[in-house]
Amino acid sequence: MKYAVVTGADRGLGYALTVQLLDAGYTVFAGQFMPDWPALDRLKEERGERLIVLPLDISNGSSVGEAAARIAALTDRVDLLVNNAGLGGDYTSSIFGEIDYERLERIYRVNAMGPLRVTQALNAPLLQGEHKLVVNISSEAGQINQASREGWYGYCMSKAALNIQSNILHNQLRKHGGKVLVIHPGWMQSYISGTLNESAAITPDEAATGIMSIIGEYVAETTDRKHPAFRDYSGAEMSWT
């Protein structure tokens, strides 16, 4: 049996990845941030014991610790960790106007510190897993030299931090047979800004299908990579800068 953990699985990409991982034969621990959002509970009724829904706020150490303890009570290994949970906002901030620093710090705690917190909490079962793979859902917004935005401080800074975190994490994991994959999911119909952006180019299901294909190829790869791969959902290589 293969075990996967997906954060931010309530809706959007996290939910789509959860469904496709279940279809691929994984038992999935799905991090639930919004208990009032019904999708995961309905999916649990359909899929049964191979879906374990966990309350999880990745910005909160106690919440992450409790989720890790529940996972450890059911299995001693995690084959795949998908750090998907993320937070948007801060799109119009400007040094010539207002910057909501509390919001910026909240975005950073979720997007940059959250994945590290979860990976640290699950390091022992990860090293017992077959794949030993961490997938960090990042963004082209984290690319330094290609940034064209004016504003978006919190989101862009947090994704740039996640990218360098992924490289450091990869350096640590590869000594133990593990590795990291960084994914830009594309301009996707999501709730990252708080409401569903239906004008975006692709659906979460389309992005998840591409990501699952990349994961399969990456797991099968035997090359000892010096750096983690950074790809978009179609498999195209992304520049770190």
Side-chain angles (χ1 to χ4, degrees), residues 88-151:
D90 188 46
Y91 301 129
T92 60
S93 57
S94 170
I95 59 169
F96 304 111
E98 297 295 325
I99 295 178
D100 185 342
Y101 286 99
E102 290 186 2
R103 176 69 174 179
L104 191 152
E105 289 174 356
R106 169 68 174 158
I107 293 169
Y108 199 87
R109 286 198 304 273
V110 172
N111 294 357
M113 295 174 64
L116 184 60
R117 194 188 300 274
V118 174
T119 306
Q120 182 186 25
L122 295 177
N123 79 85
L126 265 170
L127 294 185
Q128 295 297 318
E130 180 181 354
H131 304 332
K132 301 179 178 63
L133 176 60
V134 176
V135 178
N136 283 336
I137 304 299
S138 187
S139 170
E140 49 77 32
Q143 294 173 299
I144 305 298
N145 291 337
Q146 299 185 42
S148 59
R149 294 173 176 84
E150 295 182 11

Side-chain angles (χ1 to χ4, degrees), residues 3 29 71-78 122-129:
Y3 293 91
F29 294 95
I71 293 169
L74 295 172
T75 179
D76 63 352
R77 72 181 195 276
V78 170
L122 295 177
N123 79 85
L126 265 170
L127 294 185
Q128 295 297 318

Side-chain angles (χ1 to χ4, degrees), residues 6 9 20 29 37 42 59 85 88 94 99 108 113 136 153 198:
V6 181
Q20 294 195 27
F29 294 95
W37 195 268
R42 291 173 182 167
S59 70
S94 170
I99 295 178
Y108 199 87
M113 295 174 64
N136 283 336
Y153 281 109
E198 296 182 286

